[in-house]
Amino acid sequence: MTGLDELYREVILDHYRNPRKQGTLSGEHVHAEGSNPSCGDEFFLDVAVTDGVVTDAAMRGQGCSISQASGSMMMDIIVGRTVEDVRDLTHKFKLMMSIEEGDNPVDPERPGSVLGDLEALQGVRKFPVRIKCADLPWATLTDALDQTTA
Amino acid sequence: MTGLDELYREVILDHYRNPRKQGTLSGEHVHAEGSNPSCGDEFFLDVAVTDGVVTDAAMRGQGCSISQASGSMMMDIIVGRTVEDVRDLTHKFKLMMSIEEGDNPVDPERPGSVLGDLEALQGVRKFPVRIKCADLPWATLTDALDQTTA
Amino acid sequence: MTDLRALRADFPILEREVNGHQLVYLDSAATTQKPQSVLDAMDDYYRFHNANVHRGAHTLAVEATEMYEGARAKVAGFIGAETDQLVFTRGTTTALNYIAYGWGLNHLKAGDKILVTVMEHHANLVPWQLISRYTGAELVYLELNDDLTVDVSSLDQILTDDIAIIAFSGMSNVTGALGPIDVLTDAARSVGAISVLDGAQLVPHTPVDVTELGVDFLAFSAHKMLGPTGIGALWGRAERLEEMEPTEGGGEMINTVDRHSSTWAPVPHKFEAGTPPIAEAVGFGAAVDYLDAVGMDVIAAHEGELTAIALERLSEIPDLTIYGPKDITKRGGAVSFELGDVHPHDIATILDQDGIAVRAGHHCAKPLMKYLNIPATARASFYLYNVPEEVDALVESLHKARKLFGLT
Amino acid sequence: MTDLRALRADFPILEREVNGHQLVYLDSAATTQKPQSVLDAMDDYYRFHNANVHRGAHTLAVEATEMYEGARAKVAGFIGAETDQLVFTRGTTTALNYIAYGWGLNHLKAGDKILVTVMEHHANLVPWQLISRYTGAELVYLELNDDLTVDVSSLDQILTDDIAIIAFSGMSNVTGALGPIDVLTDAARSVGAISVLDGAQLVPHTPVDVTELGVDFLAFSAHKMLGPTGIGALWGRAERLEEMEPTEGGGEMINTVDRHSSTWAPVPHKFEAGTPPIAEAVGFGAAVDYLDAVGMDVIAAHEGELTAIALERLSEIPDLTIYGPKDITKRGGAVSFELGDVHPHDIATILDQDGIAVRAGHHCAKPLMKYLNIPATARASFYLYNVPEEVDALVESLHKARKLFGLT
Ligand SMILES: Cc1ncc(COP(=O)(O)O)c(C=O)c1O
Ligand SMILES: Cc1ncc(COP(=O)(O)O)c(C=O)c1O
């Protein structure tokens, strides 16, 4: 059961059960929605961006522990960072999850290179079908950020 | 090649190349059309019936040697007979071709029991797909006769 | 318990290991495993007889046609139908779409109503929605009782002459609830509506005789009854099939084709445009042969016993909620459940580590999920090759899931 | 001549005897035989991986999904397409019907014209006729040249803005004539019409790259290219597929389903309602692997040489008339002919006695038969596994037919 223990780490279950920043934003913000039709997971995201910095974010939706925890951890880490850093972070995360490929093109000095809690999601890599659960919030985030640069 | 020799007897090729009673009837008559969608054979039949007797018949259509010969032989044999006899004959023919089953329920004394030239079609039985070619004119005939008793 | 254990040897895949454990396949409501005889029948077709059907005078074409039409006779016989009233389709979904388009597009008009139930599979909802867009007809729904069987108490009010179609499932693929076949068939007849039975979960699990059912149409899939993918069947009463227009045009379904118009071949060929799933029909025939040899009543009894055991053992697990009738006479062997706050997808992953295959998700029944106010369930489902030890394995693995998620 | 002889060993059925002779299979235009690798791929799927796709988190479901989607990638790659633009259908016929209903029903209006050619297969005529009934659109025809290739000389007059669709075959299954793909594709573009290529006889026999063809849609069948029955493909340009509505509703093709309306999954899933032909997709993938390994250019060259031999040898037979281009650059390997007044059906029967399988009939091309003013032809057709000795056998047996019918 080592694989499962690694998948369902304490910190993941904690984020699943106590997801951060649930709700909606009221001020100016962009909104994106993501879903995983094959399992039914849904993720709704509000992001406020001012002067190229993510100033606030809020999430709703439902899904498995992995997608919810991934989203909650994402909320924790993106607020206060520049959009550029958040994109780096997204790329770094996708590299870790083997969603994107590349030769560590992230500058290790950049803040985006520190994944923190998110590292706990590494256990997901052993369960390839679940990778898209972990990715759902991040794909939604990219959709949201793309609206800010339009 | 015995099977093929039996199938393509002289008399069959003769009827195929010189089919009897080609054309249409002009006086009072019933009309029926039959086709074999799988091979494209078509058979059009006019039959004149007066007082329960087939007084005249005419055929058109196109198809393989078996369906055309069977039709031509049918023209030869039905004219002048009672509808009842023709039905007997049809049954006898279908018995011979293994299209209908039964324990020779045709009274051997009845005129319908003498198939004449049609016996040449027995060779078709060894070629089960071709049986429906031989049957096409007869199935059309039954359709036509059914209109006379309506 | 009817001992069908020896039959397991007929299913090669049951030998397989998954994550170090022998496969425990509890996902037959999604698709069933195939006995060797079905695989052999298709292999034999391809290795010795393969040819296109109906159009040829050569030996292989004749043999292929006989095998294809022979399979039609077998599958028709399996549901007590006349051979000519059995149309081969790609599956239940295609069969239901054929009815919707072939009958609906030519008979429905604005204001007409199509009565369905909340427990329907998308295959018995979306085609009616599609056809409503073209015709102006409208869907109306029967709700559910507390035990999740269909609530027919309001039927009298709903039942008006506007109802043109009543379409319902014989057995829910989510809750296992049996559909009120007789009540809805009678209802349809009383208002001159046609009745459409989604038999995807019914025909594989219980004896079905269309001469005893009052329905007009029945749809089912081979892959859910030991047969191959890529084929299913649409049965209809002769007069209903006559009323239906073909939905697909092409070869084999025609009588004549002129440049601007065509006429159709007789039923059932008018609904089978183009090269049909020939090998699949042969496999379907072998599947119903297998089911017939075991006996559908034996299979139904076996599944009933297994389901009773599963319901009992699952109810003993803390935090576990079963969605569906507890009364075994009202249900089949698809058992949906929730386990505390462990998401069904997580349940499936955890069970899979023990080699146990269950399904997690909305099971193509989103309106039902919304009705239950849940996004998804986990579902175990049984067939003739399942044995009680597999229920034990399921229960044990669910206890692991509880532990992993710290449920106490 | 490219020697593909060794490949014959891969096709188990070629060992078979028919009426005491080794099978000479000259009916590949109807359906092709299958190599062992295709049968093995499907067997492997059923014996080790069988599960329903897309909906499951258990190991078998993941494997089945990967195999199914992997097959999609293979088949798409085979025609140079993006994976997401390849829809699995039941066959060419279903693919063409999907276009007719899914695009036509939502875009055609009364007065619109659908341009087709006289040499089309019913699969590329009847769907357009059906859709014309619902929309008021009208079919217009391109006639043929003396060599039975499509006559495009009148195109300028025919080509108006009313033309909404140009649908044509890449190769006639009767005459072997290649379709004027470039001319008609350009024509379609010049009037803003969509172009639909019936590739049933093209894709199996010649290298096809959709990025080089200008067409909007391409349809083809697995069973005509070494694959199983029950599956085919519809390829479309991304924007065209987006414009199309799904024609079948059901599971897997949806995004959300509410009681009265639904939204669709992205292309290609929106066109794949219900359980797809999974094993068949796996077999289709194995078939294109096989074709790729041999090389489509090698196959085309082999068939070209064989066809040239056949045309030459057949022309030497007295009373024999070939229907189709004599110029090998204008045609593929389907060779239709007449032999004096020996009916094609009789020819097929006589050849069958020598174990030779040819097709006889209208070949699902009645308007072409009418144009030629004949009810039927006999047709020999070739594929990679045929060898020149089989042409010899054909010729010899045709001489027998002449003798039996007393032709001198
Ligand atoms: C040119 C052409 N188009 C369409 C079809 C129909 O293909 P299928 O029967 O596989 O749907 C065929 C095959 O019969 C064909 O030869
Ligand atoms: C109740 C019900 N109806 C319809 C279907 C659709 O069947 P298929 O996917 O074989 O077309 C299913 C299977 O998923 C089902 O369970």
Side-chain angles (χ1 to χ4, degrees), chain D residues 73-296:
Chain D
K74 283 182 188 182
V75 176
F78 184 75
I79 56 162
E82 298 286 326
T83 304
D84 281 356
Q85 287 153 33
L86 196 290
V87 179
F88 282 128
T89 66
R90 206 195 52 203
T92 303
T93 302
T94 302
L96 293 169
N97 278 279
Y98 275 14
I99 305 168
Y101 281 86
W103 197 90
L105 210 48
N106 296 284
H107 289 84
L108 291 175
K109 53 183 195 309
D112 279 349
K113 290 188 176 128
I114 302 164
L115 182 62
V116 294
T117 88
V118 170
M119 77 178 191
E120 298 312 310
H121 187 280
H122 294 162
N124 200 22
L125 290 177
V126 184
W128 307 117
Q129 291 183 352
L130 283 172
I131 217 66
S132 295
R133 297 201 310 191
Y134 295 119
T135 60
E138 188 198 332
L139 267 73
V140 287
Y141 282 79
L142 284 170
E143 310 294 327
L144 306 184
N145 297 311
D146 285 345
D147 68 353
L148 304 187
T149 55
V150 175
D151 178 3
V152 291
S153 65
S154 59
L155 200 54
D156 281 350
Q157 292 130 46
I158 294 175
L159 217 57
T160 63
D161 286 348
D162 296 345
I163 307 258
I165 296 172
I166 305 188
F168 54 97
S169 171
M171 188 190 295
S172 162
N173 63 311
V174 182
T175 64
L178 294 171
I181 300 180
D182 292 343
V183 176
L184 292 181
T185 308
D186 289 348
R189 222 187 326 246
S190 75
V191 293
I194 65 161
S195 49
V196 176
L197 177 56
D198 172 355
Q201 298 294 342
L202 187 73
V203 176
H205 299 288
T206 197
V208 167
D209 184 333
V210 292
T211 61
E212 284 168 18
L213 297 174
V215 295
D216 290 304
F217 291 109
L218 173 67
F220 53 107
S221 299
H223 72 94
K224 292 191 198 282
M225 47 195 285
L226 309 186
T229 54
I231 193 164
L234 163 64
W235 170 84
R237 283 186 195 290
E239 60 273 29
R240 295 306 189 193
L241 291 174
E242 293 296 338
E243 283 166 24
M244 254 173 87
E245 286 290 322
T247 42
E248 288 198 47
E252 301 309 306
M253 53 71 76
I254 56 94
N255 179 23
T256 59
V257 176
D258 291 324
R259 288 195 176 193
H260 298 281
S261 66
S262 301
T263 59
W264 312 138
V267 171
H269 302 288
K270 108 176 158 184
F271 302 109
E272 296 183 355
T275 304
I278 308 169
E280 292 75 7
V282 172
F284 199 176
V288 301
D289 278 348
Y290 189 97
L291 292 171
D292 267 335
V294 180
M296 285 309 294

Side-chain angles (χ1 to χ4, degrees), chain C residues 99-356:
Chain C
I99 306 167
Y101 281 86
W103 198 90
L105 211 50
N106 296 284
H107 289 84
L108 290 175
K109 53 182 196 310
D112 278 350
K113 290 188 175 130
I114 302 164
L115 182 61
V116 294
T117 88
V118 169
M119 77 178 194
E120 296 314 309
H121 187 280
H122 295 160
N124 201 23
L125 290 177
V126 183
W128 306 117
Q129 290 182 352
L130 283 172
I131 217 68
S132 294
R133 296 201 311 193
Y134 295 118
T135 59
E138 188 199 330
L139 268 73
V140 286
Y141 282 81
L142 284 170
E143 311 293 327
L144 305 184
N145 297 310
D146 286 346
D147 69 352
L148 305 185
T149 55
V150 176
D151 178 3
V152 291
S153 65
S154 59
L155 199 55
D156 281 351
Q157 292 131 48
I158 294 175
L159 217 57
T160 63
D161 285 350
D162 296 344
I163 307 259
I165 297 172
I166 305 188
F168 54 97
S169 170
M171 188 188 297
S172 162
N173 63 311
V174 182
T175 63
L178 295 171
I181 302 179
D182 292 343
V183 175
L184 293 181
T185 308
D186 289 348
R189 217 179 338 236
S190 77
V191 293
I194 66 160
S195 49
V196 177
L197 177 56
D198 172 355
Q201 298 293 342
L202 187 73
V203 175
H205 300 287
T206 197
V208 166
D209 184 334
V210 293
T211 60
E212 285 168 16
L213 296 174
V215 295
D216 290 303
F217 290 110
L218 172 67
F220 52 106
S221 299
H223 73 93
K224 293 190 198 282
M225 46 195 286
L226 309 185
T229 53
I231 193 164
L234 164 63
W235 170 84
R237 285 186 192 289
E239 60 273 29
R240 295 307 188 190
L241 291 174
E242 293 297 339
E243 283 166 23
M244 254 173 86
E245 287 289 322
T247 43
E248 288 198 46
E252 300 310 305
M253 53 71 73
I254 56 93
N255 180 25
T256 60
V257 176
D258 291 325
R259 288 195 176 194
H260 298 280
S261 65
S262 301
T263 58
W264 313 139
V267 172
H269 303 289
K270 111 177 155 182
F271 302 110
E272 296 182 356
T275 304
I278 308 169
E280 291 76 6
V282 172
F284 199 175
V288 301
D289 278 349
Y290 189 95
L291 292 171
D292 267 336
V294 180
M296 285 309 294
D297 40 359
V298 173
I299 292 170
H302 171 83
E303 283 182 42
E305 292 169 57
L306 215 47
T307 307
I309 294 173
L311 292 175
E312 195 190 317
R313 298 289 316 275
L314 289 173
S315 325
E316 291 163 14
I317 299 176
D319 310 308
L320 191 142
T321 313
I322 292 171
Y323 288 98
K326 307 289 181 305
D327 179 347
I328 199 77
T329 64
K330 295 184 173 172
R331 61 168 301 139
V335 183
S336 268
F337 58 88
E338 231 184 10
L339 183 63
D341 70 350
V342 190
H343 193 277
H345 214 174
D346 292 311
I347 295 178
T349 296
I350 295 166
L351 267 52
D352 187 52
Q353 288 302 302
D354 289 336
I356 303 169

